[in-house]
Amino acid sequence: MTMIRTETLTGDLVERPRRLRTSPVLRGLVRETRLHPDQFVAPLFVEAGFDVKREISSMPGQYRWSPDRIAEAIDPLLAVGVRSVILFGIPEEKDPIGSDSFHEHGIVQQGLRALRERFPELFLITDVCLCEYTDHGHCGVLDGDRVLNDETLPLLQRQVLSHVDAGADMVAPSGMMDGTIGALREALDAEGHTEVGIMSYAVKYASAYYGPFRAAAESAPQRGDRRGYQMDPANAREALREARLDAEQGADILMVKPALAYLDVIRSVRESFDLPVAAYNVSGEYSMIKTAAAAGLIDGRAVMMETLTSIRRAGADVILTYFAREAAEVLRHG
Ligand code: PBG
Ligand code: ZN
């Protein structure tokens, strides 16, 4: 008769993983994944106007700032070691081609100038897209209901050049138009901006997790949806194709977005490319944690740290997250 070995009956277990979990010091010693404020990029919203600091109702704890006050958002970030931000704009006026997005005095350009002057060391990234600036809310120009690809690229080229003129260090195109990275690299290089990097939203899914952001940026499409240009959430192989194209066209950082429902995709992009990988911990992921914590259902701080750790563990080098300040604060002061 064979003996069934159970833990209570054996004094001779060879492998006891619990041995490495016996104290905080030992757990720290063998911890595989760490978070650091250097890895965070904080998204910021600039809106047209004066003396505005308006809490975004769909994203508790996040604000829309007018250019004259946006600097107030920076000191609390720098105080905990977050030195990179990505700017989004909400313009005064929208039109069919999103003119404010490439205007010298556009809303993001104003925000950039305000920050560049005050914080020379701050790393300034800009989101490059049309959807916040078009009256129809799509990420490209329209012909009827069709979102035109190639006709959108020159507008994005103008947008990045005006961002760089206003002080941007890196540009992050998020519109999922084919050929964007090549077109932007060409425009930047032609103007001598060879040192300005491109963080590509290379793998961006048509996700319902963007809901709170669209409410914040007033950028939901008026008609239709984004499934004609953003990726189908069911596709993983296609992510590698998108990433490859952007790497070939000169992307410096490859982003996967959203993060949490796509950890497998982050992992496979990490393993397939030697570029740094960024992940966008998007608005829906943020607001779900915030509202569940406010309702007393979860420990918000712990879930925040666990979530960010999971994104790093999946393979992201960089995390764009609305939690940047809070998480850096926990890392710094416990
Ligand atoms: C614009 C853009 C979006 C986000 C970042 N850039 C919205 C969208 O594609 O509809 C989403 C960010 C978030 O949800 O936090 N193209
Ligand atoms: Zn867009």
Side-chain angles (χ1 to χ4, degrees), residues 41-47 56 59 61-65 69-77 82 84-90 108 111 115 119 122-127 132-133 213 216-217 280 320-322 324-325:
V41 177
L44 291 179
F45 296 92
V46 204
E47 86 166 71
I56 298 167
M59 300 171 67
Q62 300 298 310
Y63 297 86
R64 289 169 38 163
W65 305 86
R69 291 192 65 179
I70 182 105
E72 290 173 39
I74 306 301
D75 287 320
L77 290 170
V82 176
S84 303
V85 297
I86 180 165
L87 293 189
F88 294 91
I90 302 107
V108 162
L115 295 177
F119 305 99
L122 184 67
F123 194 71
L124 283 171
I125 307 169
T126 56
D127 184 83
E132 293 128 70
Y133 310 92
F213 173 97
Y280 201 137
L320 295 88
T321 178
Y322 304 97
R325 189 191 50 74

Side-chain angles (χ1 to χ4, degrees), residues 127-132 137-139 174-175 204 226 229-230:
D127 184 83
V128 172
C129 202
L130 293 187
C131 55
E132 293 128 70
H138 278 288
C139 301
S174 63
K204 181 174 178 181
R226 302 207 203 292
Y229 39 105
Q230 297 180 348

Side-chain angles (χ1 to χ4, degrees), residues 171-191:
V171 293
S174 63
M176 291 298 280
M177 296 298 124
D178 294 335
T180 298
I181 304 306
L184 298 189
R185 190 67 268 162
E186 196 178 295
L188 289 166
D189 290 353
E191 294 299 315

Side-chain angles (χ1 to χ4, degrees), residues 29-273:
L29 207 56
V30 299
R31 186 159 297 130
E32 299 174 33
T33 308
R34 277 172 214 285
L35 294 169
H36 192 281
D38 283 352
Q39 301 151 345
F40 299 151
V41 177
L44 291 179
F45 296 92
V46 204
E47 86 166 71
F50 189 73
D51 195 23
V52 180
K53 176 190 179 184
R54 193 200 312 277
E55 188 167 17
I56 298 167
S57 56
S58 58
M59 300 171 67
Q62 300 298 310
Y63 297 86
R64 289 169 38 163
W65 305 86
S66 52
D68 61 304
R69 291 192 65 179
I70 182 105
E72 290 173 39
I74 306 301
D75 287 320
L77 290 170
L78 294 178
V80 291
V82 176
R83 297 178 294 180
S84 303
V85 297
I86 180 165
L87 293 189
F88 294 91
I90 302 107
E92 182 112 65
E93 281 180 38
K94 307 194 185 211
D95 66 20
I97 61 165
S99 307
D100 192 273
S101 71
F102 50 82
H103 197 277
E104 188 189 343
H105 301 293
I107 183 59
V108 162
Q109 291 80 354
Q110 291 178 46
L112 283 166
R113 290 202 176 83
L115 295 177
R116 182 78 296 158
E117 204 176 302
R118 285 272 299 274
F119 305 99
E121 306 296 319
L122 184 67
F123 194 71
L124 283 171
I125 307 169
T126 56
D127 184 83
V128 172
C129 202
L130 293 187
C131 55
E132 293 128 70
Y133 310 92
T134 49
D135 50 14
H136 47 75
H138 278 288
C139 301
V141 291
L142 295 186
D143 175 17
D145 283 345
R146 262 180 354 117
V147 176
L148 302 178
N149 194 90
D150 299 16
E151 290 77 357
T152 298
L153 301 181
L155 301 178
L156 299 177
Q157 289 178 315
R158 290 174 67 177
Q159 189 178 150
V160 297
L161 294 178
S162 74
H163 286 178
V164 172
D165 284 343
D169 296 303
M170 179 172 267
V171 293
S174 63
M176 291 298 280
M177 296 298 124
D178 294 335
T180 298
I181 304 306
L184 298 189
R185 190 67 268 162
E186 196 178 295
L188 289 166
D189 290 353
E191 294 299 315
H193 301 305
T194 52
E195 79 293 355
V196 173
I198 302 175
M199 175 163 65
S200 174
Y201 286 68
V203 183
K204 181 174 178 181
Y205 288 92
S207 172
Y209 282 94
Y210 307 150
F213 173 97
R214 292 184 187 168
E218 297 163 20
S219 64
Q222 299 298 307
R223 284 149 53 87
D225 55 45
R226 302 207 203 292
R227 285 181 288 190
Y229 39 105
Q230 297 180 348
M231 285 177 56
D232 184 334
N235 293 356
R237 269 199 319 270
E238 190 183 359
L240 298 181
R241 185 175 187 217
E242 285 282 2
R244 172 177 59 78
L245 289 169
D246 286 5
E248 286 168 359
Q249 290 171 41
D252 298 284
I253 300 178
L254 297 171
M255 193 203 297
V256 174
K257 177 187 175 189
L260 220 38
Y262 301 88
L263 295 177
D264 58 325
V265 177
I266 294 173
R267 161 65 38 184
S268 73
V269 171
R270 165 72 292 142
E271 285 173 354
S272 306
F273 297 90

